[in-house]
Amino acid sequence: MPTEGNPPSALDSPIEPIVVEHRLHQLTCAKCGTQTRATLPDDVNPTGYGVRVVAVVALLSGLYRNSQRMVQSARFRVI
């Protein structure tokens, strides 16, 4: 919450995460035993984290020099 004399900031309101689920089906051929698996779309990061999360972690750990523990605990306050 903003205090008296301080303007409200973007972090004063809760951040709503954008969740997009991708399911990759994997099947095994009953005749030859070959396994096939779908691939992620090209614009999806294989780590599972979007560009915004990666940017926030980079900002907190790089520019602000927060420890790994502090960056991990920040997620509970941001989300």
Coordinates of all heavy atoms in Angstrom, one line a residue:
M1 N 0.8 -1.2 0.0 CA 0.0 0.0 0.0 C 0.9 1.2 0.0 O 1.9 1.3 0.7 CB -0.9 0.0 1.2 CG -1.9 -1.0 1.3 SD -3.3 -0.3 2.2 CE -4.6 -1.3 1.5
P2 N 0.5 2.2 -0.8 CA 1.3 3.5 -0.7 C 1.1 4.2 0.6 O 0.0 4.2 1.2 CB 0.7 4.3 -1.9 CG -0.6 3.7 -2.2 CD -0.6 2.3 -1.7
T3 N 2.2 4.8 1.1 CA 2.1 5.6 2.3 C 1.8 7.0 1.9 O 2.0 7.4 0.7 CB 3.4 5.5 3.1 OG1 4.5 5.9 2.3 CG2 3.6 4.0 3.5
E4 N 1.5 7.8 2.8 CA 1.2 9.2 2.5 C 2.4 9.9 2.0 O 3.5 9.8 2.5 CB 0.7 9.9 3.8 CG 0.2 11.3 3.6 CD -0.4 11.9 4.8 OE1 -1.0 11.2 5.6 OE2 -0.2 13.1 5.0
G5 N 2.2 10.6 0.9 CA 3.3 11.3 0.3 C 4.1 10.5 -0.8 O 4.8 11.1 -1.5
N6 N 3.8 9.2 -0.9 CA 4.5 8.4 -1.9 C 3.4 8.0 -2.9 O 2.3 7.6 -2.6 CB 5.0 7.1 -1.3 CG 6.2 7.4 -0.4 OD1 6.9 8.4 -0.6 ND2 6.4 6.5 0.6
P7 N 3.8 8.2 -4.2 CA 2.8 7.8 -5.3 C 2.7 6.3 -5.3 O 3.6 5.6 -5.0 CB 3.4 8.3 -6.5 CG 4.9 8.4 -6.2 CD 5.0 8.7 -4.7
P8 N 1.5 5.8 -5.8 CA 1.4 4.3 -5.9 C 2.3 3.8 -7.0 O 2.6 4.5 -7.9 CB -0.1 4.1 -6.3 CG -0.5 5.5 -6.8 CD 0.3 6.5 -6.1
S9 N 2.8 2.6 -6.8 CA 3.7 2.0 -7.8 C 3.0 0.7 -8.3 O 1.9 0.3 -7.9 CB 5.0 1.6 -7.1 OG 4.8 0.5 -6.3
A10 N 3.6 0.2 -9.3 CA 3.1 -1.0 -10.0 C 3.0 -2.2 -9.1 O 2.2 -3.1 -9.2 CB 3.9 -1.4 -11.2
L11 N 3.9 -2.2 -8.0 CA 3.9 -3.4 -7.1 C 2.9 -3.2 -6.0 O 2.8 -4.1 -5.2 CB 5.3 -3.6 -6.5 CG 6.4 -4.0 -7.6 CD1 7.7 -4.1 -6.9 CD2 6.0 -5.3 -8.3
D12 N 2.1 -2.1 -5.9 CA 1.1 -2.0 -4.9 C -0.1 -2.8 -5.2 O -0.8 -3.1 -4.2 CB 0.7 -0.5 -4.8 CG 1.8 0.3 -4.2 OD1 2.6 -0.2 -3.4 OD2 1.9 1.5 -4.5
S13 N -0.3 -3.3 -6.4 CA -1.4 -4.1 -6.7 C -0.9 -5.5 -7.0 O 0.2 -5.7 -7.6 CB -2.2 -3.6 -7.9 OG -1.4 -3.5 -9.0
P14 N -1.7 -6.6 -6.7 CA -1.2 -7.9 -7.0 C -1.0 -8.1 -8.5 O -1.7 -7.6 -9.3 CB -2.3 -8.8 -6.5 CG -3.4 -8.0 -5.9 CD -3.0 -6.5 -6.1
I15 N 0.0 -9.0 -8.8 CA 0.3 -9.3 -10.2 C -0.5 -10.6 -10.5 O -0.4 -11.6 -9.8 CB 1.8 -9.5 -10.4 CG1 2.5 -8.2 -10.1 CG2 2.1 -10.0 -11.8 CD1 4.0 -8.3 -10.1
E16 N -1.2 -10.6 -11.6 CA -2.0 -11.7 -12.0 C -1.1 -12.5 -13.0 O -0.8 -12.0 -14.1 CB -3.3 -11.3 -12.7 CG -4.3 -10.7 -11.7 CD -4.8 -11.7 -10.7 OE1 -4.9 -12.9 -11.0 OE2 -5.1 -11.3 -9.5
P17 N -0.7 -13.7 -12.7 CA 0.1 -14.5 -13.7 C -0.7 -14.9 -14.9 O -1.9 -15.1 -14.8 CB 0.5 -15.7 -12.9 CG -0.5 -15.9 -11.8 CD -1.0 -14.5 -11.5
I18 N -0.1 -15.0 -16.0 CA -0.7 -15.5 -17.2 C -0.2 -16.9 -17.4 O 1.0 -17.2 -17.5 CB -0.3 -14.7 -18.5 CG1 -0.7 -13.2 -18.3 CG2 -0.9 -15.3 -19.7 CD1 -0.1 -12.3 -19.3
V19 N -1.1 -17.9 -17.3 CA -0.8 -19.3 -17.3 C -1.2 -19.9 -18.7 O -2.4 -19.8 -19.0 CB -1.4 -20.1 -16.2 CG1 -1.0 -21.6 -16.2 CG2 -1.0 -19.5 -14.8
V20 N -0.3 -20.5 -19.4 CA -0.6 -21.1 -20.7 C 0.0 -22.6 -20.5 O 1.2 -22.7 -20.2 CB 0.0 -20.4 -21.9 CG1 -0.2 -21.2 -23.2 CG2 -0.5 -19.0 -22.0
E21 N -0.9 -23.5 -20.7 CA -0.4 -24.9 -20.6 C -0.2 -25.6 -22.0 O -1.0 -25.4 -22.9 CB -1.5 -25.7 -19.9 CG -1.2 -27.2 -19.7 CD -2.2 -27.9 -18.9 OE1 -3.2 -27.3 -18.5 OE2 -2.1 -29.1 -18.8
H22 N 0.9 -26.3 -22.1 CA 1.2 -27.0 -23.3 C 1.4 -28.5 -22.9 O 2.2 -28.8 -22.1 CB 2.5 -26.5 -24.0 CG 2.4 -25.1 -24.5 ND1 1.8 -24.8 -25.7 CD2 2.8 -23.9 -23.9 CE1 1.9 -23.5 -25.8 NE2 2.5 -22.9 -24.7
R23 N 0.7 -29.4 -23.6 CA 0.8 -30.8 -23.3 C 1.4 -31.4 -24.5 O 1.0 -31.2 -25.6 CB -0.5 -31.4 -23.0 CG -1.2 -30.9 -21.8 CD -2.5 -31.6 -21.5 NE -3.1 -31.1 -20.3 CZ -4.1 -31.6 -19.6 NH1 -4.6 -32.8 -20.1 NH2 -4.6 -31.1 -18.6
L24 N 2.5 -32.2 -24.3 CA 3.2 -32.9 -25.3 C 2.9 -34.4 -25.2 O 3.3 -35.1 -24.3 CB 4.7 -32.7 -25.2 CG 5.2 -31.2 -25.2 CD1 6.7 -31.1 -25.0 CD2 4.7 -30.5 -26.4
H25 N 2.1 -34.8 -26.2 CA 1.7 -36.2 -26.2 C 2.9 -37.1 -26.7 O 3.6 -36.7 -27.6 CB 0.5 -36.5 -27.1 CG -0.7 -35.8 -26.6 ND1 -1.5 -36.3 -25.5 CD2 -1.3 -34.6 -26.9 CE1 -2.4 -35.4 -25.3 NE2 -2.4 -34.4 -26.1
Q26 N 3.1 -38.3 -26.0 CA 4.1 -39.2 -26.4 C 3.4 -40.6 -26.6 O 2.6 -41.0 -25.8 CB 5.2 -39.3 -25.4 CG 6.2 -40.3 -25.7 CD 7.4 -40.3 -24.7 OE1 7.7 -39.2 -24.2 NE2 8.0 -41.4 -24.5
L27 N 3.6 -41.2 -27.7 CA 3.0 -42.5 -28.1 C 4.0 -43.5 -28.5 O 5.1 -43.1 -29.0 CB 2.0 -42.3 -29.2 CG 0.8 -41.3 -28.9 CD1 0.0 -41.1 -30.2 CD2 -0.1 -41.8 -27.8
T28 N 3.7 -44.8 -28.2 CA 4.6 -45.8 -28.7 C 3.8 -46.7 -29.7 O 2.7 -47.1 -29.4 CB 5.0 -46.7 -27.5 OG1 5.7 -45.9 -26.5 CG2 6.0 -47.8 -27.9
C29 N 4.5 -47.0 -30.8 CA 3.8 -47.8 -31.8 C 3.7 -49.2 -31.3 O 4.7 -49.8 -30.8 CB 4.7 -47.8 -33.1 SG 4.0 -48.8 -34.4
A30 N 2.5 -49.8 -31.4 CA 2.3 -51.2 -30.9 C 3.0 -52.2 -31.7 O 3.4 -53.3 -31.2 CB 0.8 -51.5 -30.9
K31 N 3.3 -51.9 -33.0 CA 4.0 -52.9 -33.9 C 5.5 -52.9 -33.8 O 6.1 -53.9 -33.6 CB 3.5 -52.7 -35.3 CG 2.1 -53.0 -35.6 CD 1.8 -52.9 -37.1 CE 0.3 -53.3 -37.3 NZ 0.0 -53.2 -38.7
C32 N 6.1 -51.7 -33.9 CA 7.6 -51.6 -33.9 C 8.2 -51.1 -32.7 O 9.4 -51.2 -32.5 CB 8.0 -50.8 -35.1 SG 7.6 -49.0 -35.0
G33 N 7.4 -50.5 -31.8 CA 7.9 -50.0 -30.5 C 8.6 -48.6 -30.6 O 9.1 -48.1 -29.6
T34 N 8.5 -48.0 -31.7 CA 9.1 -46.6 -31.9 C 8.2 -45.6 -31.1 O 7.0 -45.6 -31.2 CB 9.1 -46.2 -33.4 OG1 9.8 -47.2 -34.1 CG2 9.7 -44.8 -33.6
Q35 N 8.9 -44.7 -30.4 CA 8.3 -43.7 -29.6 C 8.3 -42.4 -30.4 O 9.4 -42.0 -30.9 CB 8.9 -43.5 -28.3 CG 8.7 -44.7 -27.3 CD 9.2 -44.4 -25.9 OE1 10.0 -43.4 -25.7 NE2 8.7 -45.1 -25.0
T36 N 7.2 -41.7 -30.4 CA 7.1 -40.3 -31.0 C 6.6 -39.4 -29.9 O 5.8 -39.8 -29.1 CB 6.2 -40.3 -32.2 OG1 4.9 -40.7 -31.8 CG2 6.7 -41.2 -33.3
R37 N 7.1 -38.2 -30.0 CA 6.7 -37.2 -29.0 C 6.5 -35.8 -29.7 O 7.3 -35.4 -30.6 CB 7.7 -37.0 -27.9 CG 7.3 -36.1 -26.8 CD 8.2 -36.0 -25.7 NE 7.7 -35.1 -24.7 CZ 8.4 -34.6 -23.7 NH1 9.7 -35.0 -23.6 NH2 7.9 -33.8 -22.8
A38 N 5.5 -35.1 -29.4 CA 5.2 -33.8 -29.9 C 6.3 -32.8 -29.5 O 7.0 -33.1 -28.5 CB 3.9 -33.3 -29.5
T39 N 6.5 -31.7 -30.2 CA 7.5 -30.7 -29.8 C 6.8 -29.4 -29.4 O 5.6 -29.2 -29.8 CB 8.4 -30.4 -31.0 OG1 7.6 -30.0 -32.1 CG2 9.2 -31.6 -31.4
L40 N 7.4 -28.6 -28.6 CA 6.9 -27.3 -28.2 C 6.9 -26.4 -29.3 O 7.7 -26.5 -30.2 CB 7.8 -26.7 -27.1 CG 7.6 -27.4 -25.7 CD1 8.7 -26.8 -24.8 CD2 6.3 -27.1 -25.1
P41 N 6.0 -25.4 -29.3 CA 6.0 -24.4 -30.4 C 7.3 -23.6 -30.2 O 7.9 -23.5 -29.2 CB 4.8 -23.5 -30.0 CG 3.9 -24.4 -29.2 CD 4.8 -25.3 -28.5
D42 N 7.7 -23.0 -31.3 CA 9.0 -22.3 -31.4 C 9.1 -21.1 -30.4 O 10.2 -20.8 -29.9 CB 9.3 -21.8 -32.8 CG 9.6 -22.9 -33.7 OD1 10.0 -24.0 -33.3 OD2 9.3 -22.7 -34.9
D43 N 8.0 -20.5 -30.1 CA 8.0 -19.3 -29.2 C 7.9 -19.7 -27.7 O 7.8 -18.8 -26.9 CB 6.9 -18.3 -29.6 CG 5.5 -18.9 -29.5 OD1 5.4 -20.2 -29.5 OD2 4.6 -18.1 -29.3
V44 N 7.9 -21.0 -27.4 CA 7.8 -21.4 -26.0 C 9.2 -21.8 -25.4 O 9.9 -22.6 -26.0 CB 6.8 -22.6 -25.8 CG1 6.8 -23.1 -24.4 CG2 5.4 -22.2 -26.3
N45 N 9.5 -21.2 -24.3 CA 10.8 -21.5 -23.6 C 10.8 -22.9 -23.1 O 9.9 -23.2 -22.3 CB 11.0 -20.5 -22.5 CG 12.4 -20.5 -22.0 OD1 13.1 -21.5 -22.1 ND2 12.8 -19.4 -21.3
P46 N 11.7 -23.7 -23.4 CA 11.7 -25.1 -22.9 C 11.9 -25.2 -21.4 O 11.5 -26.3 -20.8 CB 12.9 -25.8 -23.6 CG 13.7 -24.7 -24.2 CD 12.8 -23.5 -24.3
T47 N 12.3 -24.2 -20.7 CA 12.4 -24.3 -19.2 C 11.0 -24.2 -18.6 O 10.9 -24.5 -17.4 CB 13.3 -23.1 -18.7 OG1 12.6 -21.9 -19.0 CG2 14.7 -23.1 -19.3
G48 N 10.0 -23.7 -19.3 CA 8.7 -23.5 -18.7 C 8.4 -22.2 -18.1 O 7.3 -21.9 -17.7
Y49 N 9.4 -21.3 -18.1 CA 9.3 -20.0 -17.6 C 9.2 -19.0 -18.7 O 10.0 -19.0 -19.7 CB 10.4 -19.6 -16.7 CG 10.5 -20.5 -15.5 CD1 11.5 -21.4 -15.4 CD2 9.6 -20.4 -14.4 CE1 11.6 -22.3 -14.3 CE2 9.6 -21.2 -13.3 CZ 10.7 -22.2 -13.3 OH 10.7 -23.0 -12.2
G50 N 8.3 -18.0 -18.6 CA 8.1 -17.0 -19.7 C 9.2 -15.9 -19.5 O 9.9 -15.9 -18.6
V51 N 9.1 -15.1 -20.5 CA 10.2 -14.0 -20.6 C 10.0 -13.0 -19.4 O 11.0 -12.5 -18.9 CB 10.1 -13.2 -21.9 CG1 10.5 -14.2 -23.0 CG2 8.7 -12.7 -22.2
R52 N 8.8 -12.8 -18.9 CA 8.6 -11.9 -17.8 C 9.2 -12.4 -16.5 O 9.9 -11.7 -15.8 CB 7.2 -11.6 -17.6 CG 6.6 -10.8 -18.7 CD 5.1 -10.5 -18.6 NE 4.6 -9.7 -19.7 CZ 3.4 -9.7 -20.1 NH1 2.5 -10.5 -19.4 NH2 3.0 -9.0 -21.1
V53 N 9.0 -13.7 -16.3 CA 9.6 -14.3 -15.0 C 11.1 -14.3 -15.1 O 11.8 -13.9 -14.2 CB 9.1 -15.7 -14.9 CG1 9.8 -16.4 -13.7 CG2 7.6 -15.7 -14.6
V54 N 11.7 -14.6 -16.3 CA 13.1 -14.6 -16.5 C 13.7 -13.2 -16.3 O 14.7 -13.0 -15.7 CB 13.5 -15.2 -17.9 CG1 15.0 -15.0 -18.2 CG2 13.1 -16.7 -18.0
A55 N 13.0 -12.2 -16.8 CA 13.4 -10.8 -16.6 C 13.4 -10.4 -15.2 O 14.4 -9.7 -14.7 CB 12.5 -9.9 -17.5
V56 N 12.4 -10.7 -14.4 CA 12.3 -10.4 -13.0 C 13.4 -11.0 -12.2 O 14.1 -10.4 -11.4 CB 10.9 -10.7 -12.4 CG1 10.9 -10.6 -10.9 CG2 9.9 -9.8 -13.0
V57 N 13.7 -12.3 -12.5 CA 14.7 -13.0 -11.8 C 16.1 -12.4 -12.1 O 16.9 -12.2 -11.3 CB 14.7 -14.5 -12.1 CG1 15.9 -15.2 -11.6 CG2 13.4 -15.2 -11.5
A58 N 16.3 -12.1 -13.4 CA 17.6 -11.5 -13.8 C 17.7 -10.1 -13.1 O 18.8 -9.8 -12.7 CB 17.6 -11.3 -15.3
L59 N 16.7 -9.3 -13.0 CA 16.8 -8.0 -12.4 C 17.1 -8.1 -10.9 O 18.0 -7.5 -10.4 CB 15.4 -7.3 -12.6 CG 15.3 -5.9 -12.0 CD1 16.2 -4.9 -12.7 CD2 13.9 -5.4 -12.0
L60 N 16.4 -9.0 -10.2 CA 16.6 -9.2 -8.8 C 18.0 -9.8 -8.5 O 18.7 -9.3 -7.6 CB 15.5 -10.1 -8.2 CG 14.1 -9.5 -8.2 CD1 13.1 -10.6 -7.7 CD2 14.0 -8.3 -7.4
S61 N 18.4 -10.7 -9.3 CA 19.7 -11.4 -8.9 C 20.9 -10.6 -9.6 O 22.0 -10.6 -9.0 CB 19.7 -12.8 -9.4 OG 19.5 -12.9 -10.8
G62 N 20.7 -10.0 -10.7 CA 21.8 -9.3 -11.4 C 22.0 -7.9 -10.9 O 22.9 -7.5 -10.2
L63 N 21.1 -7.0 -11.3 CA 21.2 -5.6 -11.0 C 21.1 -5.3 -9.5 O 21.9 -4.5 -9.0 CB 20.1 -4.8 -11.8 CG 20.2 -3.3 -11.7 CD1 21.4 -2.8 -12.3 CD2 19.0 -2.7 -12.4
Y64 N 20.1 -6.0 -8.9 CA 19.9 -5.7 -7.4 C 20.7 -6.5 -6.5 O 20.7 -6.4 -5.3 CB 18.4 -5.8 -7.1 CG 17.5 -4.8 -7.8 CD1 16.2 -5.1 -8.1 CD2 18.0 -3.5 -8.1 CE1 15.4 -4.2 -8.8 CE2 17.2 -2.6 -8.7 CZ 15.9 -2.9 -9.0 OH 15.1 -2.0 -9.7
R65 N 21.5 -7.5 -7.1 CA 22.4 -8.4 -6.4 C 21.8 -9.1 -5.2 O 22.4 -9.2 -4.1 CB 23.6 -7.6 -5.9 CG 24.4 -7.1 -7.1 CD 25.6 -6.3 -6.6 NE 26.5 -6.0 -7.7 CZ 27.8 -6.2 -7.7 NH1 28.4 -6.5 -6.6 NH2 28.5 -6.0 -8.8
N66 N 20.5 -9.6 -5.3 CA 19.9 -10.3 -4.3 C 20.4 -11.8 -4.4 O 20.7 -12.3 -5.4 CB 18.4 -10.4 -4.5 CG 17.7 -9.1 -4.1 OD1 18.1 -8.4 -3.2 ND2 16.7 -8.7 -4.9
S67 N 20.5 -12.4 -3.2 CA 20.9 -13.8 -3.2 C 19.8 -14.7 -3.8 O 18.7 -14.3 -3.9 CB 21.2 -14.2 -1.7 OG 19.9 -14.2 -1.0
Q68 N 20.2 -15.9 -4.0 CA 19.2 -16.9 -4.6 C 18.1 -17.1 -3.6 O 16.9 -17.2 -4.0 CB 19.9 -18.2 -4.8 CG 19.0 -19.3 -5.5 CD 19.8 -20.5 -5.8 OE1 21.0 -20.7 -5.5 NE2 19.1 -21.4 -6.5
R69 N 18.3 -17.1 -2.3 CA 17.3 -17.3 -1.3 C 16.3 -16.1 -1.3 O 15.1 -16.3 -1.3 CB 17.9 -17.5 0.1 CG 16.8 -17.7 1.1 CD 17.4 -17.8 2.5 NE 18.3 -19.0 2.5 CZ 19.3 -19.2 3.4 NH1 19.5 -18.3 4.4 NH2 20.0 -20.2 3.4
M70 N 16.9 -14.9 -1.5 CA 16.0 -13.7 -1.5 C 15.2 -13.7 -2.8 O 14.0 -13.3 -2.7 CB 16.9 -12.4 -1.4 CG 17.5 -12.3 0.0 SD 18.5 -10.8 0.0 CE 17.3 -9.5 0.0
V71 N 15.7 -14.1 -3.9 CA 15.0 -14.1 -5.2 C 13.8 -15.1 -5.1 O 12.7 -14.9 -5.5 CB 15.9 -14.4 -6.4 CG1 15.1 -14.7 -7.6 CG2 16.9 -13.3 -6.6
Q72 N 14.1 -16.3 -4.5 CA 13.1 -17.3 -4.3 C 12.0 -16.9 -3.4 O 10.8 -17.1 -3.6 CB 13.7 -18.6 -3.8 CG 14.5 -19.3 -4.8 CD 15.3 -20.5 -4.3 OE1 15.3 -20.7 -3.1 NE2 15.8 -21.4 -5.2
S73 N 12.3 -16.1 -2.3 CA 11.3 -15.7 -1.4 C 10.5 -14.5 -2.0 O 9.4 -14.3 -1.5 CB 11.9 -15.3 0.0 OG 12.7 -14.1 -0.2
A74 N 11.1 -13.8 -2.9 CA 10.3 -12.7 -3.5 C 9.1 -13.2 -4.3 O 8.2 -12.4 -4.4 CB 11.3 -11.9 -4.4
R75 N 9.2 -14.4 -4.8 CA 8.0 -14.9 -5.6 C 6.8 -14.9 -4.8 O 5.7 -14.8 -5.3 CB 8.3 -16.2 -6.2 CG 8.4 -17.3 -5.2 CD 8.5 -18.7 -5.8 NE 8.4 -19.6 -4.7 CZ 8.9 -20.8 -4.7 NH1 9.6 -21.2 -5.7 NH2 8.8 -21.6 -3.7
F76 N 6.9 -15.1 -3.5 CA 5.7 -15.2 -2.6 C 5.1 -13.8 -2.4 O 3.9 -13.7 -2.2 CB 6.0 -15.9 -1.3 CG 6.4 -17.3 -1.5 CD1 7.7 -17.7 -1.1 CD2 5.5 -18.3 -2.0 CE1 8.1 -19.0 -1.3 CE2 5.9 -19.6 -2.1 CZ 7.2 -19.9 -1.8
R77 N 5.9 -12.8 -2.5 CA 5.4 -11.5 -2.3 C 4.9 -10.8 -3.6 O 4.1 -9.9 -3.5 CB 6.5 -10.6 -1.7 CG 6.7 -10.9 -0.2 CD 7.8 -10.0 0.4 NE 9.0 -10.9 0.4 CZ 10.2 -10.5 0.1 NH1 10.5 -9.2 -0.2 NH2 11.3 -11.3 0.1
V78 N 5.4 -11.3 -4.7 CA 5.0 -10.7 -6.0 C 3.7 -11.3 -6.5 O 2.8 -10.6 -7.0 CB 6.1 -10.9 -7.0 CG1 5.7 -10.4 -8.4 CG2 7.3 -10.0 -6.6
I79 N 3.6 -12.6 -6.4 CA 2.5 -13.3 -7.0 C 1.3 -13.4 -6.0 O 1.5 -13.6 -4.8 CB 2.8 -14.8 -7.4 CG1 3.9 -14.7 -8.5 CG2 1.6 -15.6 -7.9 CD1 4.4 -16.0 -9.0

